[in-house]
Amino acid sequence: MGRGDGERAAASIAAAARSLRAGVEKSRALGQALARAGPRLDEIQLALPALEAAVRPIRAPRAELSAAGPHIDRAVGPAAAVLKVFDAVHGLEPPLLAGGAVAGDLPGYLAVLGRLEEALRFLSDNSGLAAQWLADIVEYLGDHDLADPRFLADLAVTLEGLEKSSGDLDGGLLAAALNMLEAEFRCLLAGHSSPLAIQQLNTASASVVPSLIPAATVHKLSLILDRLIANGRQDRCLSMYADARGGVVSASLHALGLDYLRNPFDDAQALGPGVELWGRHLEFVVCCLLESERQLCNKVFGQHKDGASACFAEVAAHAGVLDFLKFGHAAADTKKDPIKLLRLLEVFDSLNKLRLDFNRLFGGKKACAEIQSQTRDLVKLLVDGAVEIFEELLVQVELQRHMPPPSDGGVPRLVSFVVEYCNRLLGEKYRPVLAQVLTIHRSWRKEAFSDKMLVNAVLNIVKALEANFDVWSKAYDNVTLSCLFMMNTHWHFFKNLKASKLGKLLGDVWLQDHEQFKDYYLTVFMRDSWGALSPLLNREGLILFSKGRATAKDLVKQRLKTFNASFDEMFRKQSAWVIPDKGLREKTCALVVQSIVPSYRSYMQNYGPLVEQDASANKYVKYTVDGLEKMLSALFIPRPRRAGSFQIRHSNDNITSPMTGLYRSTSTVK
């Protein structure tokens, strides 16, 4: 063996040694690795049965399963997105259900609620679609026989259950949040629902009552309302709002004392103060209180116009608008007489002044349909009733032509009533209202009307009354009393009409005629009554020389006796007669005194001594001059008349009607 061979052998041995050594190290490392992998192998061994069970339904070859991969990915993607949104919904529970979250930060709470609503809209739009896509994959696996049928059937049932439960995607979180908003809405309303104080009611008649709810609170109410209505809770909102604000209005009006609305008088005269109060209260309720509530309602409900209208109608119901209208109906239902015409005109005038406000607040809204209907019915009742009474006034005056005149010769109650009544109808308060009522009534019948027709109708009533005078005067058996009656009545006409609107329409000539009639009848009255007494004290045959003294004494006694008898009879009769006007009475008494007392004084001065010393002087000298003058000066003083007379009664600027119950249908306005 050569040196070269030996070197090659040594090198081979060295390489073998290295290889052996490396093999030993690898064996050692493998042994260590096997030692470490022992427990893991045990875990795999334990997991193999479960893995085998999971893989068992999939029985298709690898190539077919690979082809199904893209279909499965397209279905799993949307499903994963839906699950992600579900997780987000659950994350909103703490801020939405935290106590005090609504009151503490309403905008923040509504923002979180908005995210919940957005998430629920996404789930509502996509969860069903995702479930349907998964169902399509199950159907695909079944159609291609890629999995065990029993496994696929179980999956289909699970997906079907998911589709059915899609209506409650948030587990009731939205309902709970809305309940909290409702509670805050109710709390805000309750915190600002105090009734108005009495002083506010008394001072607010000229303007809208300011709302006691701050603007910030109104804004909060509006924000809450938007969300509640958007989530289908409008009816509950309307109920809460109407109860709260209706209660405020009702409590505020309670202080006004509106019991009279439900217990009106059935007599037009007694109803007068109630109608005046009714008009002022209705104006306050409509123009101030309800106008304020309407503005508040519009601010709170914002763009929800129908809801605002419905809610305002409920508030108006609490304000008793229908009760006010029912009171108007009660006024229209009172017994018919001329005073009722004034009440009807007053009620109509109050409603007419509020016509624009009624139209703005209650017009064109289905929610206020009953108020509209009741108002229309009331206006028709007022117009028809007022026109009917007015058109019958002339007939009622004519009907009383055959009623007996006052037994004391005073002014008939009808005369005083008609003069005062017609002046009222032509006054500033009633004339424009009556003209409007007549115009409306004529328009319903397609007929024209002018103010001149109204004036002529009133003048015809006065002239018909004037025609009654002659008929009444002829009803007296005593001509002198008839003259006194005509004197009183003509003077009453002249004095009460000369400075009035009605007198201006009748004219100066017409009025002067009545003044002249007064003077004429006064002259006739004096001539035929007291003027006939003085001649009884004549001096004919009274010669006072010695031989004729006895004869003169007898004549004086006889003439005094005749005078006394006539005076007593006349004084007795005329003591029951009256002259209501103080000036005319004093003038008449002065004329009576002047016609008798001077003659009586002169006669007694000249011839009284003939009988005054006689034992029977009291039989002939019954009156002293002063006593006679006092008696005559006290004549014709009115005394309280019994009920049912023609005497008009004035009380608090009210007049009573002598024509109640005499009405029948006819027409005055031609």
Side-chain angles (χ1 to χ4, degrees):
M1 174 181 303
R3 182 177 178 184
D5 294 334
E7 291 178 352
R8 286 193 292 271
S12 297
I13 293 170
R18 287 195 299 273
S19 177
L20 181 60
R21 191 165 41 253
V24 171
E25 290 176 356
K26 288 181 181 180
S27 297
R28 185 181 298 113
L30 180 60
Q32 292 174 351
L34 288 174
R36 289 194 301 270
R40 179 61 178 164
L41 291 175
D42 292 339
E43 292 177 5
I44 293 173
Q45 184 66 33
L46 293 174
L48 282 176
L51 181 62
E52 182 182 4
V55 176
R56 188 181 303 121
I58 302 174
R59 58 189 183 185
R62 179 184 297 274
E64 294 183 9
L65 287 176
S66 297
H71 297 282
I72 296 174
D73 290 340
R74 284 195 297 271
V76 171
V82 168
L83 291 175
K84 185 176 181 180
V85 174
F86 266 116
D87 290 338
V89 167
H90 291 303
L92 297 177
E93 289 185 7
L96 288 177
L97 300 181
V102 181
D105 181 14
L106 179 61
Y109 189 88
L110 293 177
V112 176
L113 180 62
R115 293 202 298 272
L116 173 62
E117 292 173 338
E118 184 179 359
L120 291 179
R121 284 193 295 272
F122 177 86
L123 292 177
S124 177
D125 295 340
N126 295 282
S127 61
L129 181 61
Q132 183 60 50
W133 280 28
L134 291 175
D136 291 343
I137 290 301
V138 171
E139 183 178 356
Y140 175 85
L141 294 175
D143 291 343
H144 292 77
D145 198 24
L146 298 178
D148 183 71
R150 289 176 296 176
F151 172 71
L152 295 177
D154 292 340
L155 283 177
V157 171
T158 301
L159 291 174
E160 184 180 357
L162 289 175
E163 291 180 355
K164 291 181 178 180
S165 63
S166 61
D168 186 19
L169 300 175
D170 63 343
L173 179 59
L174 177 61
L178 295 177
N179 289 340
M180 293 181 70
L181 282 180
E182 281 188 7
E184 180 64 12
F185 188 77
R186 188 180 294 106
C187 182
L188 289 173
L189 287 173
H192 301 85
S193 294
S194 299
L196 296 174
I198 287 290
Q199 57 269 26
Q200 290 174 297
L201 296 176
N202 292 335
T203 59
S205 58
S207 61
V208 177
V209 176
S211 173
L212 297 180
I213 302 183
T217 302
V218 173
H219 182 62
K220 287 182 179 180
L221 289 170
S222 182
L223 291 176
I224 294 174
L225 198 63
D226 281 340
R227 299 318 323 137
L228 292 176
I229 291 179
N231 285 279
R233 298 203 177 192
Q234 176 168 317
D235 291 344
R236 295 169 69 168
C237 293
L238 296 182
S239 178
M240 286 188 291
Y241 186 92
D243 287 345
R245 297 309 303 171
V248 172
V249 169
S250 181
S252 299
L253 292 179
H254 181 72
L256 292 178
L258 301 179
D259 291 341
Y260 70 91
L261 294 179
R262 299 168 187 83
N263 300 289
F265 292 100
D266 59 359
D267 175 72
Q269 182 68 60
L271 195 61
V275 169
E276 180 183 359
L277 197 61
W278 174 86
R280 289 194 286 111
H281 284 167
L282 182 60
E283 181 182 6
F284 170 76
V285 169
V286 173
C287 296
C288 303
L289 198 57
L290 286 183
E291 180 63 33
S292 174
E293 289 298 326
R294 181 63 170 172
Q295 293 179 9
L296 178 62
C297 216
N298 288 339
K299 291 176 182 177
V300 172
F301 281 83
Q303 62 182 348
H304 308 288
K305 302 299 183 183
D306 292 340
S309 299
C311 206
F312 175 74
E314 293 295 326
V315 175
H318 282 83
V321 174
L322 291 176
D323 288 336
F324 277 95
L325 296 177
K326 289 176 182 177
F327 180 89
H329 280 270
D333 289 338
T334 55
K335 58 187 177 182
K336 186 164 58 174
D337 71 1
I339 301 300
K340 179 180 177 179
L341 173 57
L342 303 183
R343 299 291 90 84
L344 296 182
L345 293 178
E346 290 164 4
V347 173
F348 175 86
D349 188 40
S350 294
L351 286 176
N352 190 54
K353 289 177 180 177
L354 299 173
R355 178 169 54 86
L356 295 179
D357 299 288
F358 262 70
N359 289 340
R360 186 180 68 258
L361 294 176
F362 312 121
K365 304 293 189 298
K366 292 182 179 180
C368 297
E370 186 174 2
I371 293 178
Q372 297 175 42
S373 175
Q374 292 291 330
T375 303
R376 285 193 298 268
D377 291 346
L378 177 55
V379 169
K380 189 173 190 313
L381 278 176
L382 295 172
V383 171
D384 288 341
V387 171
E388 181 183 6
I389 294 173
F390 180 71
E391 291 185 341
E392 292 181 12
L393 288 173
L394 175 62
V395 174
Q396 303 316 312
V397 171
E398 293 173 343
L399 285 175
Q400 294 222 15
R401 187 169 296 167
H402 305 289
M403 299 292 288
S407 60
D408 56 10
V411 179
R413 181 183 174 193
L414 181 68
V415 174
S416 299
F417 173 80
V418 170
V419 169
E420 172 69 13
Y421 189 79
C422 289
N423 266 319
R424 285 198 177 193
L425 289 182
L426 294 179
E428 294 180 358
K429 180 177 181 180
Y430 293 106
R431 180 172 178 174
V433 183
L434 179 57
Q436 186 174 9
V437 166
L438 291 169
T439 301
I440 293 173
H441 191 266
R442 283 300 184 93
S443 70
W444 291 346
R445 299 187 297 188
K446 309 299 182 183
E447 298 174 359
F449 181 80
S450 66
D451 187 67
K452 184 178 180 181
M453 298 171 68
L454 167 59
V455 172
N456 289 337
V458 175
L459 294 181
N460 288 337
I461 294 170
V462 176
K463 292 175 181 178
L465 177 64
E466 183 185 21
N468 289 1
F469 295 174
D470 287 335
V471 177
W472 285 333
S473 68
K474 294 174 182 177
Y476 290 104
D477 295 331
N478 189 308
V479 177
T480 304
L481 179 58
S482 176
C483 289
L484 182 75
F485 163 78
M486 293 293 274
M487 177 187 73
N488 280 329
T489 305
H490 282 288
W491 178 247
H492 182 87
F493 241 38
F494 171 78
K495 184 176 180 180
N496 288 277
L497 288 173
K498 67 177 181 178
S500 67
K501 294 182 180 294
L502 185 57
K504 291 179 181 179
L505 293 172
L506 290 166
D508 292 338
V509 174
W510 189 90
L511 291 174
Q512 290 169 3
D513 286 344
H514 284 283
E515 185 179 25
Q516 292 171 2
F517 276 129
K518 179 268 297 182
D519 293 336
Y520 168 77
Y521 284 110
L522 176 57
T523 301
V524 174
F525 170 78
M526 290 300 303
R527 184 194 67 195
D528 294 345
S529 58
W530 299 103
L533 290 184
S534 292
L536 296 178
L537 298 175
N538 66 80
R539 305 184 182 203
E540 183 180 354
L542 297 178
I543 303 174
L544 300 180
F545 56 87
S546 58
K547 291 184 179 179
R549 190 174 184 85
T551 302
K553 182 177 181 179
D554 290 340
L555 285 174
V556 169
K557 287 182 177 181
Q558 182 61 40
R559 288 170 184 173
L560 282 174
K561 183 178 180 180
T562 302
F563 173 83
N564 290 336
S566 298
F567 178 86
D568 288 345
E569 177 64 18
M570 191 170 298
F571 185 83
R572 181 187 62 80
K573 287 182 178 180
Q574 295 198 19
S575 291
W577 299 354
V578 299
I579 301 177
D581 182 78
K582 182 180 180 182
L584 182 59
R585 181 171 65 251
E586 291 176 349
K587 178 181 179 180
T588 304
C589 287
L591 290 173
V592 172
V593 170
Q594 184 179 351
S595 70
I596 295 176
V597 172
S599 299
Y600 186 75
R601 178 185 292 112
S602 175
Y603 193 84
M604 293 305 296
Q605 287 175 350
N606 292 323
Y607 305 110
L610 292 175
V611 295
E612 286 175 348
Q613 296 178 0
D614 194 287
S616 60
N618 291 337
K619 294 173 57 178
Y620 306 105
V621 185
K622 295 182 63 175
Y623 305 105
T624 65
V625 174
D626 290 341
L628 196 67
E629 184 173 357
K630 288 181 180 179
M631 291 175 64
L632 294 175
S633 298
L635 282 171
F636 312 124
I637 296 176
R639 291 166 178 78
R641 296 185 178 185
R642 71 181 189 277
S645 73
F646 276 110
Q647 180 64 38
I648 188 169
R649 175 172 57 85
H650 295 260
S651 175
N652 298 325
D653 199 33
N654 291 328
I655 57 176
T656 56
S657 169
M659 298 188 287
T660 302
L662 298 177
Y663 275 74
R664 61 182 175 81
S665 297
T666 189
S667 177
T668 297
V669 182
K670 303 297 184 185

